[in-house]
Amino acid sequence: ELIYGRSPFEDFTLSFINPHNQSSQDISDFAAFWEEFLIPDLRSDQAYFSLQHIESAYRDLLLAQEAEILALQEKEKVYEEIRSLNPHNMWEMLLNQGIVERSLLLMRFASLRGNPTHPLAKLKKDFEPFEMSAFSPENAQEIKLGILAVAQGICKHTQMYQSIFVHEFFAHHYPQIYTSWKESLEIMGHDAMHYFPLPHHPYQSQSIVDKFPDAIEKKHIIFLEGINLSLQATMSVRTLMPYDAHSPFIKLPLNIQTTSMLRTHSPPRVHAGPVLSRLLEDILEKDAILASYVKIMPEPLGIYVNDEAYLGESQNPSYHLNVLYKENPLQLIAEGEICIPLSAALELSPSTSKALIIDIMEFQGISTGVEALAYF
């Protein structure tokens, strides 16, 4: 909170309470602080910690710290950009933007802070600095997904409705890309109908090569050059949003650790997404009152590599190659409605240094506590 409440270019010093004499001391060097104070204290209770765990935690803290600095620098750029568009009220500026442009900016704005109380909020373990810039949502870079051809015989898929078919679904949303994908396979002498088009994140390419050498050698998995789908990262990093209001969000496995979790994606989760979506929609269809308060982002289709051969293995290759499509929320809102990620509503507005939700209320003339309560 101290870090985010200040300009990223303003100097300040963190301090800690020395447990030996209860005095407050500045932390002038983090490595020295770690070695002289934290390590000895943690070592004193070997029942709970091993030195390996301590050193691993230390490395994660340093990586998160580096990522935090990059995020703060990017935050300053985003704030300056927003102030240049409207220095008085961010909400007024957003209202004057197109629906897709606004949605992309709000997702980027929501990503600047992350979890304000998590010590590894910005950790993206195994990302190099250039990958941090290329694939993190704060930077809003175009990410070009490759489109694999994966033999249907090694795949399973689950659809929300029986009327959803993989080829038709992909061709409907990405007609030009589907045509190029199909033609590329035919030029190579393969029947495209024996394969499924499967997007993959560029960062994940090496993991796929490492995990599926036999399938690649047998042409059960084929990398196709020059066929790409452009999207932008959301807050979860592994879920990506399109540059239009109609195409779905795409959730892919990523072999990195963010906060405390590895962001690969389990086949049971991919399988369950469309099933749970159908269940929730059935509930909402039967409950008009609940439906007036709740909308879901259904997941109409999930595709994953058949994992039966790897049951019981901790490093299941199928965790590294799958896709789950999510309905674009811009398809779910009525005219006059705007989607706002919750963390964007709570992030400080560059215009007023108050939470964006306060900007929204003040723009509508709400200025007192009584009026705010009535508004909510």
Side-chain angles (χ1 to χ4, degrees), residues 190-202:
H190 300 291
D191 185 344
M193 300 313 294
H194 292 167
Y195 291 85
F196 282 151
L198 201 67
H200 75 284
H201 197 287

Side-chain angles (χ1 to χ4, degrees), residues 48-120:
Y48 295 99
F49 297 102
S50 70
L51 188 58
Q52 182 180 359
H53 290 144
I54 294 168
E55 290 174 345
S56 176
Y58 177 47
R59 287 194 296 271
D60 287 353
L61 282 167
L62 290 180
L63 289 171
Q65 190 179 54
E66 291 173 6
E68 194 90 41
I69 292 168
L70 292 173
L72 286 168
Q73 292 173 335
E74 194 62 31
K75 177 178 179 177
E76 193 71 11
K77 294 179 188 175
V78 176
Y79 269 38
E80 286 300 322
E81 178 185 324
I82 292 171
R83 289 190 195 103
S84 69
L85 294 171
N86 189 315
H88 305 298
N89 188 285
M90 180 179 173
W91 184 242
E92 184 178 18
M93 178 271 291
L94 289 168
L95 290 176
N96 291 324
Q97 290 190 314
I99 182 172
V100 175
E101 182 184 19
R102 178 171 55 228
S103 182
L104 291 166
L105 178 58
L106 278 168
M107 183 60 71
R108 186 184 188 190
F109 185 68
S111 305
L112 295 172
R113 171 181 286 238
N115 187 327
T117 60
H118 198 297
L120 305 177

Side-chain angles (χ1 to χ4, degrees), residues 97-321:
Q97 290 190 314
I99 182 172
V100 175
E101 182 184 19
R102 178 171 55 228
S103 182
L104 291 166
L105 178 58
L106 278 168
M107 183 60 71
R108 186 184 188 190
F109 185 68
S111 305
L112 295 172
R113 171 181 286 238
N115 187 327
T117 60
H118 198 297
L120 305 177
K122 290 299 178 183
L123 177 67
K124 296 179 180 67
K125 198 171 180 177
D126 293 326
F127 267 179
E128 298 293 339
F130 76 92
E131 291 167 332
M132 195 83 70
S133 174
F135 303 137
S136 294
E138 301 94 326
N139 299 80
Q141 297 297 310
E142 177 183 350
I143 299 175
K144 293 186 176 182
L145 306 183
I147 310 297
L148 296 170
V150 182
Q152 293 192 30
I154 67 169
C155 282
K156 286 190 173 182
H157 67 283
T158 310
Q159 62 269 47
M160 191 172 168
Y161 299 104
Q162 291 302 314
S163 59
I164 296 175
F165 299 96
V166 174
H167 282 259
E168 286 83 347
F169 182 90
F170 195 88
H172 171 73
H173 289 293
Y174 320 108
Q176 293 180 328
I177 295 172
Y178 178 77
T179 299
S180 298
W181 176 86
K182 187 170 180 288
E183 289 175 351
S184 294
L185 280 174
E186 290 169 350
I187 289 170
M188 297 169 69
H190 300 291
D191 185 344
M193 300 313 294
H194 292 167
Y195 291 85
F196 282 151
L198 201 67
H200 75 284
H201 197 287
Y203 180 82
Q204 198 67 6
S205 297
Q206 190 57 51
S207 291
I208 296 170
V209 170
D210 294 341
K211 298 292 181 181
F212 297 95
D214 292 343
I216 292 171
E217 184 180 353
K218 294 174 183 176
K219 304 298 182 184
H220 293 165
I221 296 175
I222 302 173
F223 285 84
L224 300 172
E225 296 293 331
I227 300 176
N228 301 112
L229 179 59
S230 295
L231 295 97
Q232 185 172 305
T234 66
M235 292 177 67
S236 76
V237 186
R238 65 179 172 181
T239 298
L240 301 104
M241 61 191 300
Y243 290 102
D244 63 78
H246 309 286
S247 302
F249 282 41
I250 297 179
K251 185 173 186 178
L252 300 170
L254 268 185
N255 196 24
I256 64 164
Q257 179 184 330
T258 62
T259 58
S260 56
M261 296 293 293
L262 191 65
R263 295 298 166 176
T264 52
H265 203 201
S266 74
R269 173 68 185 85
V270 178
H271 180 88
V275 177
L276 292 172
S277 296
R278 178 63 185 270
L279 176 63
L280 290 169
E281 281 213 343
D282 286 348
I283 291 170
L284 294 178
E285 285 175 5
K286 295 171 183 175
D287 191 328
I289 295 175
L290 183 61
S292 69
Y293 288 99
V294 175
K295 293 179 181 177
I296 66 166
M297 280 177 65
E299 298 168 340
L301 177 65
I303 309 169
Y304 57 98
V305 176
N306 185 354
D307 65 335
E308 290 178 358
Y310 306 103
L311 289 176
E313 290 190 18
S314 60
Q315 297 298 319
N316 188 329
S318 305
Y319 278 62
H320 296 264
L321 181 55

